[in-house]
């Protein structure tokens, strides 16, 4: 029995941090810090954070572990998102101003520090919204019993986008309609709309059915979103819109014209609205639409397209008329010479057929007119000369001149002319010379030009020589890769066969193909050739910088690798040590250079630089070689400073650290700890003996005592080895009392922390509250007003106050806003009670008003004043307890209104927001409660720990 009890006792003893191992895997927890409607757990034990569209989304990833974890936020789409999307934010706080519906979904916080597996937490953000509903009316008329009478049915379709799904209410005037209310009313949901549409069907329309109909949509006030509605007046004249257009469906105009297109509604009740649109582009800047009229001034070619006039009155289908506007234009006139195809000839020969073809890009293309000339005279068709259109081998709407059985008399200069009706300009092709000298092209690369070698950044010229008559354009493309030219084009055309490239880069190396074009020359198989471009560039080496740590007397090999370069081999490699040249044996052509340090020592430690060069340039590797120990790593999960003697304002701090890569260099023999008070002179130094054997992750610690409360200290720790002092690590410690920022609790905010317990200044007021203490107050403070010290009577204690002196004026307001408190209850109809307790000081002849306002976010944003005082109440701190029962997430706002003159300073202190009713008797503020994991909670757990042996002692007796 004794052994069992002792085993139980030993298992309850908390293990010290030294035995836990300092390197700990990352842990994470997600909390929200912005607006929130509710945070709950759904049926799948998933945290769901509901927020209204347009509010500010703030998520925080609280992490622990050592080394300090790095945080990455990612997001995948949820039900409210349109598409999958992912963002990466490397920050512990994720903040999205004016959150939108597509930003809803699952957010992941990934924390990792290289120890164990990363910690991943998620929360689903549900963005709530309700759009304006859209009401459309559809009517059907059917014959009943032959032609005796007709039955008219009306469908009122109400559609809305919302999250969560909306609830629909149909009203006739003020009467709420229900399904099957009578034989004339049906209410149903179309299957394919999944609850976002509700249809009101009025069967066999009766006189009483002509009335005002309202579709009201609601998401039951989630996030304070109010109901929305739309009303339609149904009459016996209700009809869909109809339109007529003042111009034809196709309208052809000349550049520079001014036109007006009139779109007139000819029917529809209620009167329809007309809207103009342009496709595929937006409306041009030289257009103006007013009512049904659309005017375009000084029309340009790019204004061509379809112009749509749409009339809408939400009855039936919209009426639509479309005008295809064509702006006359011509460009790019080209010709082709086609030898006798039947005889498969590629040259012009007497006695064989010959065809000349002409094409122009025009709008409208089918209206192009072509005229052929020979020696400047118009050609007339005959059995020997034929003019045809639309050659199937050529683009649409072309003209071809076919010469049958070519004769000597057919030699001459031909030309093609293109024109459009009503367009004052014409386009002429180049002269087409047909003679015994007209020969097909040949293409070649000049001698010595097959490979062009240039340096990066210079100019390159690739050349292909073309011979023949006429000389066709040359088309250049890249053969070895599908890449564009610097201009962004995939094909570059030159007239002289030369491709000029400015400021060439290494990516432009490769093979380029030149070929003859089929236009403005012979329409035969293209002639082709290729040129290779070799772009030389300076080496790229690795590592750019490397920090090498080694123990004394160890060998070190440094290698500088040439990753890429042109030429690809190292021409020269020069090594320097601390900028002094080192003698190294010459290297053969290879991709790297090495240097060996035979024995690591103080004399051989320093900066080594290797400069690698080729025929173009150079690059350098830098190695920092030393025997210095790496810097220590302050333990990330160290507890907050512990208050040891509040009377003498002292606290202590446990400095904890691990040694980064302790095996890389000689063993650490000691540590030098330096302590410097913030903003003060003087540094105290302590030498601490290192552990006999330091393993990776081994935790070392030292407690600093007699630190002054509210003072900051800079700590510097330096490891010492036989090599000397290593790299240092610095940390600043700040004393602050533990504060729980976000949930109503028994904590009291004394404003001793700069973060004000999560309180913030209102950005829409006239001025701000001021945080001060007796020690920090202005020497020019106004006499006969305001407190001397905080409520506790300590000079170092802080409080919040407002300064009534100039430039303040009568009626100016300052507001201090608490954090958002998320109120959740199992029963939504039940309200939770809270007690807001605080001290206030209102002393002076000109005291204005101090109000406490309750801001509730459940049904919109409502502000109600729940407590108010004004006037001079004496030079003492007063206590107030205010009972509130918010209906949803709430904030407490302290509002101060300036009085008539300068003796009007007002202060508040020791604010407590506590769940439950206020006590009947006036009470003092509660003491500060330590947050989980703080030093105070550690002391509490320690006191409970010593009760255990006492309990076992009594039990054993």
């Amino acid at each position: 029995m004794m052994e069992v009890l002792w085993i139980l006792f030993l298992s309850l003893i908390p293990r010290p941090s030294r035995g836990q191992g300092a390197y700990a895997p990352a842990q994470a927890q997600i909390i929200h810090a912005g607006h929130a409607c509710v945070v709950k757990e759904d049926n799948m034990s998933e945290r769901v954070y509901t927020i209204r569209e347009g509010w500010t989304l703030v998520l925080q990833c609280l992490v622990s572990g050592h080394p300090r974890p790095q945080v990455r936020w990612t997001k995948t789409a949820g039900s409210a998102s349109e598409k999958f999307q992912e963002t990466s934010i490397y920050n512990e706080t994720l903040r999205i101003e004016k959150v939108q519906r597509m930003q809803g979904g699952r957010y992941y916080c990934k924390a990792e520090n290289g120890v164990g597996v990363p910690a991943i937490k998620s929360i689903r953000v549900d963005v709530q919204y309700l759009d304006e509903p859209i009401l459309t009316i559809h009517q059907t008329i059917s014959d009943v019993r032959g032609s005796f009478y007709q039955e008219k049915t009306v469908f009122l379709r109400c559609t809305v986008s919302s999250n969560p799904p909306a609830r629909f209410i149909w009203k006739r005037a003020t009467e709420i309609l229900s399904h099957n209310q009578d034989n004339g009313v049906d209410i149903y949901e179309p299957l394919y709309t999944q609850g976002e549409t509700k249809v009101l069907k009025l069967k066999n329309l009766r006189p009483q059915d002509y009335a005002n109909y309202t579709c009201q949509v609601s998401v039951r006030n989630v996030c304070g979103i109010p109901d929305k509605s739309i009303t339609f007046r149904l009459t016996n004249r209700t009809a869909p819109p109809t339109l007529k257009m003042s111009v034809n469906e196709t309208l052809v105009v000349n550049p520079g014209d001014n036109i007006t297109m009139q779109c007139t509604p000819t029917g529809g009740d209620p009167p329809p609205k007309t809207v103009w649109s342009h496709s595929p582009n937006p409306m041009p800047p030289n257009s103006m639409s007013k009512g049904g009229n659309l005017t375009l001034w000084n029309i340009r070619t790019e204004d061509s397209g379809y112009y749509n006039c749409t009339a809408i009155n939400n009855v039936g289908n919209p009426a639509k008329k479309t005008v295809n506007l064509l702006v006359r234009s011509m460009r790019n006139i080209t010709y082709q010479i086609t030898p006798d195809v039947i005889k498969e000839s590629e040259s012009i020969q007497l006695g064989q057929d010959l065809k000349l073809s002409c094409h122009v890009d025009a709008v409208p293309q089918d209206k192009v007119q072509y005229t052929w000339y020979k020696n400047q005279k118009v050609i007339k068709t005959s059995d020997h000369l034929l003019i045809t259109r639309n050659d199937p081998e050529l683009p649409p709407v072309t003209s071809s001149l076919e010469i049958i059985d070519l004769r000597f008399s057919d030699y001459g200069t031909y030309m093609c002319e293109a024109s459009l009706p009503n367009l004052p300009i014409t386009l002429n092709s180049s002269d087409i010379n047909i003679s015994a000298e007209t020969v097909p092209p040949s293409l070649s690369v000049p001698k010595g030009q097959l490979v062009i070698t240039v340096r990066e950044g210079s100019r390159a010229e690739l050349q292909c020589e073309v011979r023949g008559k006429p000389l066709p354009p040359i088309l250049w493309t890249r053969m070895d890769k599908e890449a564009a030219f610097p201009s962004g084009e995939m094909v570059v055309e030159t007239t002289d066969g030369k491709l000029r490239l400015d400021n060439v880069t290494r990516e432009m190396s490769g093979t380029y193909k030149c070929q003859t074009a089929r236009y403005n020359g012979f329409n035969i198989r293209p002639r082709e050739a290729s040129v290779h471009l070799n772009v030389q560039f300076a080496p790229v080496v690795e590592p750019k910088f490397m920090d090498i740590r080694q123990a004394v007397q160890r060998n070190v090999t440094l290698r500088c690798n040439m990753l890429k370069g042109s030429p690809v081999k190292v021409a020269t490699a020069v090594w320097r040590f601390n900028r002094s040249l080192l003698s190294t044996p010459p290297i053969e052509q290879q991709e790297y250079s090495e240097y060996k340090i035979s024995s690591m020592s103080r004399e051989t430690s320093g900066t080594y630089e290797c400069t690698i060069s080729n025929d173009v340039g150079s690059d350098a590797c830098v190695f920092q070689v030393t025997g210095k120990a790496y810097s220590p790593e302050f333990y990330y999960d160290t507890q907050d400073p512990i208050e040891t003697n509040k009377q003498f304002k002292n606290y202590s701090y446990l400095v904890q650290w691990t040694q980064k890569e302790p095996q890389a260099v000689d063993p650490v023999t000691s540590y030098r700890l330096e302590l410097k008070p913030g903003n003060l002179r003087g540094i105290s130094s302590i030498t601490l003996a290192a552990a006999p054997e330091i393993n990776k992750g081994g935790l070392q610690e030292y407690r600093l005592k007699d630190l002054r409360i509210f003072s900051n200290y800079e700590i510097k720790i330096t490891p010492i080895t036989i090599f000397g002092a290593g790299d240092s690590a610095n940390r600043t410690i700040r004393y602050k009392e533990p504060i729980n920022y976000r949930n109503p609790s028994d904590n009291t905010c004394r404003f001793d922390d700069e973060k004000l317990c999560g309180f913030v200044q209102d950005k829409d007021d006239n001025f701000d509250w001021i945080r001060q203490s007796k020690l920090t107050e202005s020497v020019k403070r106004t006499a006969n007003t305001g407190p001397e010290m905080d409520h506790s009577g300590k000079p170092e204690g802080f409080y919040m106050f407002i300064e009534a002196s100039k430039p303040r004026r009568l009626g100016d307001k300052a507001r201090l806003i608490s954090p958002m408190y998320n109120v959740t209850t199992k029963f939504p109809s039940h309200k939770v009670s809270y007690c807001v307790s605080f001290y206030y000081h209102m002393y002076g002849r000109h005291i204005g008003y101090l109000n406490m306002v309750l801001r509730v976010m459940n049904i919109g944003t409502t502000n109600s004043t729940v407590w108010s005082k004004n006037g001079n109440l004496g030079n003492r701190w007063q206590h107030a307890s205010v009972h509130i029962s918010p209906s949803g997430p709430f904030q407490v706002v302290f509002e101060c209104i300036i009085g008539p003159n300068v003796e009007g300073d007002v202060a508040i202190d020791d604010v407590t927001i506590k769940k439950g009713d206020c006590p009947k008797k006036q009470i003092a503020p509660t003491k500060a409660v330590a947050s989980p994991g703080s030093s105070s909670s550690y002391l509490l757990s320690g006191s409970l720990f010593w009760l255990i042996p006492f309990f076992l002692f009594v039990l054993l007796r």
Side-chain angles (χ1 to χ4, degrees):
M1 181 65 180
M2 286 280 294
E3 293 177 354
V4 173
L5 289 173
W6 277 112
I7 291 173
L8 174 63
F9 166 67
L10 292 174
S11 66
L12 293 173
I13 297 177
R15 297 178 182 177
S17 59
R18 184 185 299 273
Q20 293 175 355
Y23 284 134
Q27 301 291 327
Q29 177 187 0
I30 295 178
I31 64 170
H32 68 89
H35 287 99
C37 305
V38 66
V39 179
K40 62 182 180 180
E41 308 286 335
D42 69 1
N43 296 332
M44 301 299 292
S45 298
E46 177 190 36
R47 295 190 70 215
V48 181
Y49 172 25
T50 304
I51 187 171
R52 181 172 172 177
E53 186 174 46
W55 284 0
T56 299
L57 170 68
V58 181
L59 299 177
Q60 287 183 323
C61 188
L62 304 181
V63 296
S64 63
H66 182 71
R68 179 171 184 165
Q70 298 295 314
V71 174
R72 179 190 180 195
W73 285 95
T74 57
K75 182 243 176 181
T76 56
S79 58
S81 297
E82 297 174 350
K83 297 180 180 179
F84 175 88
Q85 50 183 310
E86 179 174 318
T87 58
S88 294
I89 297 176
Y90 295 89
N91 199 335
E92 292 184 8
T93 300
L94 172 68
R95 182 182 183 90
I96 302 177
E97 301 282 352
K98 298 181 179 179
V99 67
Q100 299 301 306
R101 63 193 66 180
M102 68 285 301
Q103 292 172 312
R106 187 189 302 273
Y107 285 81
Y108 293 89
C109 161
K110 181 179 180 181
E112 56 184 337
N113 60 356
V115 181
V117 297
I120 300 177
K121 295 293 182 181
S122 69
I123 187 171
R124 183 160 63 85
V125 175
D126 195 12
V127 182
Q128 312 281 275
Y129 59 91
L130 177 64
D131 290 343
E132 295 291 339
I134 298 174
L135 182 59
T136 57
I137 291 81
H138 302 272
Q139 303 176 100
T140 62
I141 299 177
S142 58
D143 292 332
V144 179
R145 297 180 185 177
S147 59
F148 288 101
Y149 67 91
Q150 292 180 325
E151 186 176 272
K152 189 173 184 179
T153 301
V154 173
F155 300 86
L156 289 87
R157 179 188 295 266
C158 186
T159 304
V160 71
S161 294
S162 69
N163 182 40
R167 178 181 62 186
F168 293 79
I169 298 176
W170 279 104
K171 296 180 181 178
R172 179 192 286 129
T174 58
E175 172 195 8
I176 297 179
L177 300 176
S178 59
H179 181 61
N180 287 334
Q181 175 176 323
D182 53 46
N183 292 332
V185 175
D186 269 347
I187 298 176
Y188 63 92
E189 293 179 4
L191 295 177
Y192 59 87
T193 56
Q194 300 179 354
E196 292 297 327
T197 298
K198 208 78 161 184
V199 175
L200 170 63
K201 180 180 179 182
L202 304 175
K203 301 176 290 186
N204 192 14
L205 213 60
R206 305 158 298 182
Q208 62 267 32
D209 292 329
Y210 294 113
N212 286 331
Y213 289 88
T214 300
C215 171
Q216 181 176 327
V217 292
S218 169
V219 287
R220 294 159 291 282
N221 282 328
V222 298
C223 295
I225 299 176
D227 295 354
K228 297 183 179 180
S229 62
I230 186 170
T231 301
F232 183 84
R233 175 70 176 174
L234 181 65
T235 70
N236 58 2
R237 300 181 304 276
T238 299
T242 56
L243 283 176
K244 72 174 181 179
M245 186 69 70
S246 63
V247 296
N248 296 329
E249 292 182 356
T250 301
L251 182 61
V252 182
V253 298
N254 288 331
D257 287 354
N258 300 329
I259 63 163
T260 298
M261 295 178 282
Q262 188 172 12
C263 179
T264 307
T266 57
D269 189 281
K273 295 181 180 179
T274 55
V275 178
W276 281 94
S277 62
H278 183 218
S279 60
N281 301 318
M283 294 291 285
N286 53 325
S287 66
M288 185 184 74
S289 60
K290 185 176 182 181
N293 294 338
L294 174 64
T295 302
L296 291 93
W297 290 278
N298 194 19
I299 289 179
R300 307 161 301 168
T301 303
E302 56 267 29
D303 296 334
S304 296
Y306 291 92
Y307 289 83
N308 309 302
C309 176
T310 306
I312 302 172
N313 68 348
N314 291 343
V315 179
N317 295 319
K320 185 176 180 180
K321 294 287 186 180
T322 299
V323 177
N324 183 14
L325 179 64
L326 301 176
V327 182
R328 293 186 182 94
S329 64
M330 291 189 301
R331 60 188 179 89
N332 298 335
I333 187 168
T334 58
Y335 69 89
Q336 294 180 354
I337 303 172
T338 306
D340 198 327
V341 178
I342 297 177
K343 296 184 179 180
E344 298 181 355
S345 175
E346 288 194 348
S347 61
I348 299 174
Q349 299 179 21
L350 294 174
Q352 292 185 2
D353 295 346
L354 179 68
K355 181 169 66 175
L356 308 179
S357 303
C358 183
H359 174 79
V360 67
D361 295 329
V363 177
Q365 190 73 49
D366 58 343
K367 302 297 184 182
V368 177
Q369 297 176 356
Y370 293 96
T371 304
W372 281 95
Y373 295 86
K374 178 186 178 184
N375 298 330
Q376 299 182 355
K377 293 183 179 180
V378 177
I379 296 176
K380 297 181 180 180
T381 59
S382 64
D383 294 339
H384 177 62
L385 298 174
L386 301 178
I387 297 178
T388 60
R389 288 174 67 91
N390 297 329
D391 189 323
E393 297 182 0
L394 300 173
V397 190
T398 61
S399 178
S400 297
L401 172 63
E402 296 188 31
I403 305 175
I404 309 300
D405 190 12
L406 183 67
R407 307 167 187 171
F408 182 82
S409 60
D410 294 325
Y411 286 166
T413 300
Y414 294 81
M415 185 183 69
C416 167
E417 180 182 83
S419 62
L420 279 174
N422 301 318
L423 190 65
I425 63 173
T426 60
L427 287 183
N428 296 327
S429 68
S430 302
D431 289 344
I432 311 170
N433 294 309
I434 303 297
S435 67
E437 298 177 355
T438 305
V439 294
S442 63
L443 194 65
S444 63
V445 178
K447 186 178 180 180
Q449 299 291 311
L450 287 174
V451 177
I452 302 296
T453 301
V454 296
R455 292 192 175 189
E456 190 172 37
S458 62
R459 184 180 185 183
E461 184 175 281
L462 313 185
Q463 184 175 357
C464 286
E465 287 186 348
V466 60
R467 294 181 178 87
K469 187 177 181 181
L471 294 178
I474 301 300
L475 306 179
W476 288 88
T477 55
R478 301 195 65 172
M479 288 184 63
D480 55 344
K481 58 184 76 173
E482 291 185 4
F485 287 89
S487 62
E489 298 175 320
M490 300 301 293
V491 179
V492 171
E493 177 181 318
T494 64
T495 57
D496 59 358
K498 295 181 180 180
L499 175 65
R500 298 170 179 86
L501 301 171
D502 293 323
N503 193 23
V504 294
T505 63
R506 62 196 68 180
E507 290 78 16
M508 295 169 66
S509 295
T511 303
Y512 291 76
K513 181 178 72 173
C514 60
Q515 68 177 37
T516 57
R518 290 177 178 263
Y519 53 87
N520 292 350
F522 277 75
N523 181 25
I524 56 176
R525 177 182 57 84
R527 283 22 177 180
E528 297 181 356
S530 63
V531 180
H532 186 81
L533 175 63
N534 180 26
V535 180
Q536 294 184 335
F537 57 92
V540 177
V541 300
E542 72 166 4
K544 292 291 187 182
F545 178 83
M546 179 178 285
D547 184 12
I548 297 178
R549 309 286 175 123
Q550 288 286 0
V552 174
Q553 297 183 350
R554 287 188 188 175
N555 297 332
V556 183
T557 299
L558 311 179
R559 172 180 280 198
C560 185
N561 297 300
M562 182 171 171
L563 290 181
K564 51 187 175 180
S566 178
V568 296
K569 300 294 184 181
V570 176
T572 61
V574 177
W575 285 87
R576 288 180 173 86
F577 171 57
N578 292 338
R579 298 188 177 182
S580 297
L581 192 64
L582 294 173
S583 59
T584 56
I587 62 170
E588 298 179 358
Q589 290 288 310
Q590 55 190 21
E591 293 81 18
Y592 65 89
S593 177
E594 284 186 348
Y595 183 80
K596 294 184 179 180
I597 305 174
S598 59
S599 177
M600 175 64 199
S601 65
R602 294 176 187 268
E603 291 73 22
T604 59
S605 65
T607 302
Y608 290 80
E609 182 178 4
C610 174
T611 303
I612 283 183
S613 305
N614 62 7
D615 296 337
V616 180
S618 61
D619 197 8
C621 299
V622 178
F623 304 89
Q624 188 68 41
V625 181
T626 181
K628 295 167 58 175
Y630 283 103
S631 62
E633 297 173 322
F634 283 102
Y635 189 46
Y636 177 60
D637 288 340
T638 298
Q639 295 177 341
D640 291 333
I642 299 175
E643 185 179 277
T644 55
N645 192 325
K646 198 164 187 177
Q647 179 181 359
F648 295 101
K649 306 170 193 171
N650 288 344
Y651 72 96
S652 65
Y653 180 73
L654 184 64
V655 184
Q656 296 178 298
W657 70 92
T658 59
Q659 180 60 46
K660 180 180 178 181
E661 303 297 339
Q663 311 303 328
V665 297
D666 298 291
V668 176
T669 57
S670 61
Y671 287 93
R672 182 171 65 246
L673 188 150
E674 298 172 83
L675 184 67
K676 177 182 181 299
N679 301 324
L680 295 177
R681 294 182 179 179
I683 299 177
S684 58
S685 179
I686 308 170
T687 299
L688 307 174
E693 182 178 354
I694 302 177
N695 296 318
K696 187 173 182 177
L699 186 65
Q700 302 176 77
E701 58 187 36
Y702 179 78
R703 183 174 294 280
L704 295 170
K705 300 179 181 179
D706 297 329
L707 306 178
R708 298 292 292 175
I709 287 180
F710 302 122
S711 291
N712 301 335
Y713 292 87
E714 296 177 13
I715 305 174
K716 181 179 180 180
I717 298 182
T718 307
I720 310 295
T721 65
I722 61 171
F723 185 85
D727 292 342
S728 302
N730 295 275
R731 166 177 280 189
T732 300
I733 58 173
R734 295 178 173 86
Y735 177 80
K736 57 182 179 180
E737 295 186 2
I739 299 172
N740 188 348
Y741 288 103
R742 286 293 180 263
N743 295 317
S745 64
D746 294 343
N747 291 355
T748 295
C749 181
R750 298 185 173 88
F751 302 109
D752 289 336
D753 186 89
E754 294 178 357
K755 294 184 178 180
L756 306 181
C757 318
F759 280 77
V760 295
Q761 307 280 359
D762 190 348
K763 296 180 180 179
D764 297 327
D765 56 9
N766 304 111
F767 65 107
D768 288 343
W769 288 76
I770 301 172
R771 173 180 172 267
Q772 78 170 22
S773 66
K774 175 66 175 177
L775 301 179
T776 62
E777 70 180 12
S778 172
V779 295
K780 298 181 180 180
R781 67 182 297 267
T782 306
N784 302 318
T785 185
E788 292 288 333
M789 301 184 189
D790 76 337
H791 167 250
S792 67
K794 300 177 182 178
E796 68 274 9
F798 284 86
Y799 56 90
M800 300 298 292
F801 91 109
I802 62 104
E803 173 62 63
S805 302
K806 290 183 179 180
R808 301 280 68 83
R809 295 183 297 180
L810 176 66
D812 282 357
K813 296 179 180 179
R815 299 187 190 93
L816 190 66
I817 306 174
S818 78
M820 175 72 68
Y821 298 114
N822 299 304
V823 179
T824 56
T825 175
K826 295 182 179 179
F827 306 99
S829 60
H830 293 182
K831 293 185 178 180
V832 182
S833 295
Y834 294 89
C835 181
V836 182
S837 170
F838 60 96
Y839 283 85
Y840 60 98
H841 193 282
M842 302 175 68
Y843 166 59
R845 292 185 300 166
H846 310 124
I847 296 293
Y849 281 84
L850 174 62
N851 303 323
M852 194 188 95
V853 178
L854 178 64
R855 179 174 293 177
V856 182
M857 310 299 290
N858 192 18
I859 46 176
T861 302
T862 59
N863 296 281
S864 55
T865 302
V866 293
W867 181 91
S868 181
K869 292 288 184 181
N870 72 298
N872 185 2
L873 300 181
N875 189 11
R876 61 184 179 275
W877 286 94
Q878 314 270 356
H879 180 259
S881 294
V882 184
H883 174 266
I884 59 174
S885 298
S887 58
F890 71 94
Q891 294 172 295
V892 173
V893 182
F894 288 98
E895 177 186 67
C896 200
I897 304 176
I898 290 293
N901 214 321
V902 296
E903 294 181 16
D905 296 354
V906 176
I908 60 172
D909 197 7
D910 295 358
V911 178
T912 304
I913 301 177
K914 183 177 180 182
K915 196 170 185 179
D917 296 332
C918 292
K920 294 182 180 179
K921 294 182 179 180
Q922 184 168 314
I923 58 173
T926 57
K927 294 182 179 179
V929 177
S931 59
S934 70
S935 56
S936 300
S937 62
Y938 174 80
L939 292 174
L940 179 62
S941 64
S943 63
L944 292 176
F945 160 70
W946 289 112
L947 291 175
I948 296 172
F950 175 76
F951 167 73
L952 292 175
F953 174 76
V954 174
L955 185 64
L956 291 173
R957 287 177 61 90

